[in-house]
Amino acid sequence: MLYQRSSQLFAEAEKVIPGGVNSPVRAFKSVGGTPIFVKKAVGAYLYDEDGNKLIDYINSWGPMILGHAYEPVVNAIIEKAKLGTSFGMPTEIETKIAELAVSMVPNIDKIRFVNSGTEACMSAVRLARGYTNREKIIKFKGCYHGHSDSFLIQAGSGAVTFGSPNSPGVTQGTAKDTLLANYNDLESVKMLFEANPNEIAALIIEPVAGNMGCIPPNKGFLEDLRALCTQYGSLLVFDEVMTGFRLARGGAQELFGVAADIVTFGKVIGGGLPVGAFAARTEIMDYLAPVGPVYQAGTLSGNPLAMAAGLTMLQSIEKDLDLYTRLEEKTAYLEKGLRNVLFQNNINHTINRVGSMISVFFDSKPVFDFETAANGDNETFKKFFHGLLAQGVYIAPSAYETWFITDALTYEDLDFTINAVNTVFQNAG
Ligand SMILES: *Cc1c(COP(=O)(O)O)cnc(C)c1O
């Protein structure tokens, strides 16, 4: 496949946009080459500026769980746009999507909409600090909660891909209030609580980690965190920006049967438009302005186009009773096929999967935290990435990312992908 036009467009972009991209994860720095410029996408496929068709395993990093250009969502956006695109005044559709989200997700009474997952997590932590009147938070190494200052301490996703898990520009004052624990290591969490009793406002976690590759919580880990938070009077914040509406209608809370105090959303909840949200029980949410003292606001929050896209997405998910079964079956099929070809070609690997989140690590040892995730062989990953791309299969250009499976994928697409992996390593053999 040729990427001449993409390369040209990238060269032009680099002159006026830092690194040519508006979000670092889109860059090809860790795999080499230049990013692919998309012209359009339909269902499970991307069509790039050079006329190549690619099977898409990123799906806008999660939102397109029903496929690109999903007709009901597109139509809802078009119809709303004709009525005006932003008012800065309340609209009925905000209540509609709030009611639906509250009915689908356990343990929440109220929800507030923002414009990104970053904003959702940033606001959730401010709310937790205001509510508990405490300053410190606990986060896990390798977890990503958006790019606000408090979270760029040993952060995952692009932050680790590009070697800035601790970003310059975050003050020491801010950094000292973020305490770090190891994923799946309860002792590391206990030690922080014991050393800082009465100081921890919240513990924030990706209930299934997805930004250091996919890492499931060990059995009982989330339950134990719940118990510790309750014991120390801290709020348990589930960052469900990735897992929300992806692992189940009610997200990870439903899947694992563990109740969080605050839940954050992004990605799927916006149906492909810029939406984030955070939610909790009434007593916590009513700590927010204008009822309570914790300030949080947004000119475009609850934007009608974004709400139309999100509402239609959630309605589609809610009424599709087999959706999560189909996603589970498709992703399990992919997992089995990948295991077979990697095994046959003697490639060291570990595959982690929860529902439609899956990732391949090029290391034979179990991957259960940031350190073990970082052991993967990046040279093999590069070969994997470019070998797949050459055959029209697009995965994230970083070994630290999860694949996001969409229901638009057919079994033919999955077979094609499994064969493509075989081709990559046969030729390498
Ligand atoms: C993507 C992501 C975020 C950040 O969301 P943005 O919309 O990119 O700001 C936060 N937390 C998790 C778990 C994510 O996957």
Side-chain angles (χ1 to χ4, degrees):
M1 293 197 182
L2 285 173
Y3 295 102
Q4 220 171 347
R5 188 164 157 72
S6 274
S7 300
Q8 275 166 11
L9 290 172
F10 181 61
E12 286 165 32
E14 271 189 302
K15 291 180 197 154
V16 285
I17 300 171
V21 291
N22 279 312
S23 188
V25 294
R26 298 172 197 170
F28 273 27
K29 262 179 83 177
S30 77
V31 289
T34 51
I36 291 159
F37 278 61
V38 183
K39 188 160 196 174
K40 66 167 190 177
V42 185
Y45 314 115
L46 298 165
Y47 298 85
D48 71 14
E49 290 281 358
D50 287 279
N52 303 306
K53 176 184 172 185
L54 305 166
I55 302 178
D56 186 11
Y57 284 98
I58 302 185
N59 286 291
S60 185
W61 305 88
M64 304 308 179
I65 195 166
L66 303 177
H68 289 285
Y70 182 66
E71 233 180 276
V73 170
V74 171
N75 290 339
I77 296 169
I78 293 170
E79 288 312 310
K80 260 295 178 224
K82 292 177 187 166
L83 305 175
T85 59
S86 180
F87 314 112
M89 295 165 72
T91 53
E92 185 182 3
I93 194 169
E94 293 165 79
T95 309
K96 286 231 170 85
I97 184 174
E99 284 169 350
L100 182 55
V102 165
S103 77
M104 290 170 83
V105 177
N107 311 311
I108 63 171
D109 302 317
K110 293 187 178 182
I111 184 166
R112 179 163 280 176
F113 287 91
V114 293
N115 306 288
S116 68
T118 295
E119 255 188 88
C121 295
M122 175 186 89
S123 308
V125 162
R126 184 182 307 132
L127 176 58
R129 285 174 164 149
Y131 183 78
T132 58
N133 196 22
R134 298 174 177 186
E135 299 202 342
K136 293 193 191 309
I137 60 167
I138 295 176
K139 86 171 273 288
F140 292 87
K141 283 185 201 165
C143 279
Y144 181 69
H145 305 293
H147 68 92
S148 94
D149 288 4
S150 299
F151 304 124
L152 290 183
I153 320 289
Q154 293 279 310
S157 188
V160 56
T161 304
F162 302 113
S164 306
N166 306 296
S167 176
V170 175
T171 65
Q172 284 180 9
T174 297
K176 78 167 174 29
D177 288 330
T178 300
L179 309 177
L180 285 174
N182 296 319
Y183 206 84
N184 279 326
D185 176 356
L186 192 68
E187 274 312 306
S188 73
V189 182
K190 270 192 190 155
M191 275 165 52
L192 294 175
F193 273 114
E194 281 163 13
N196 302 273
N198 307 316
E199 286 186 75
I200 295 173
L203 176 148
I204 185 166
I205 186 168
E206 293 178 63
V208 173
N211 287 289
M212 45 180 162
C214 173
I215 299 186
N218 286 344
K219 204 168 177 345
F221 184 58
L222 298 176
E223 287 86 343
D224 289 342
L225 295 179
R226 171 69 275 173
L228 276 177
C229 285
T230 305
Q231 181 188 340
Y232 284 93
S234 307
L235 300 187
L236 177 62
V237 181
F238 272 8
D239 177 353
E240 297 229 36
V241 171
M242 194 182 286
T243 54
F245 306 102
R246 171 164 288 280
L247 297 184
R249 273 171 200 78
Q253 285 196 103
E254 178 185 322
L255 187 68
F256 296 105
V258 176
D261 295 305
I262 305 182
V263 189
T264 62
F265 298 102
K267 302 193 168 111
V268 175
I269 201 173
L273 263 65
V275 179
F278 59 108
R281 342 181 256 285
T282 298
E283 54 167 326
I284 298 175
M285 289 308 276
D286 280 354
Y287 237 74
L288 282 177
V291 222
V294 173
Y295 199 70
Q296 185 279 325
T299 301
L300 289 168
S301 292
N303 171 269
L305 301 195
M307 295 296 98
L311 176 61
T312 309
M313 180 59 111
L314 296 195
Q315 284 170 337
S316 304
I317 287 174
E318 203 211 9
K319 66 172 187 249
D320 186 345
L321 297 180
D322 297 325
L323 172 66
Y324 294 101
T325 309
R326 285 197 309 276
L327 283 168
E328 167 68 29
E329 287 172 357
K330 285 181 186 180
T331 319
Y333 182 87
L334 178 67
E335 178 187 1
K336 187 157 173 267
L338 293 175
R339 274 189 207 286
N340 283 340
V341 291
L342 292 171
F343 182 75
Q344 278 160 19
N345 289 290
N346 291 314
I347 303 294
N348 285 337
H349 67 277
T350 294
I351 298 182
N352 282 355
R353 181 177 77 82
V354 178
S356 59
M357 291 166 63
I358 179 171
S359 54
V360 180
F361 302 91
F362 291 107
D363 188 44
S364 51
K365 294 194 241 13
V367 175
F368 52 85
D369 64 4
F370 179 65
E371 248 109 88
T372 48
N375 283 339
D377 176 6
N378 202 48
E379 286 311 307
T380 308
F381 180 79
K382 277 190 204 175
K383 188 182 294 171
F384 184 59
F385 174 81
H386 282 292
L388 286 180
L389 185 57
Q391 299 174 77
V393 176
Y394 191 63
I395 62 168
S398 162
Y400 291 105
E401 304 288 355
T402 298
W403 304 23
F404 300 95
I405 303 306
T406 164
D407 189 41
L409 282 164
T410 64
Y411 281 89
E412 288 74 50
D413 295 326
L414 299 173
D415 282 333
F416 183 91
T417 304
I418 294 161
N419 284 328
V421 172
N422 193 39
T423 305
V424 173
F425 291 114
Q426 253 178 351
N427 291 348

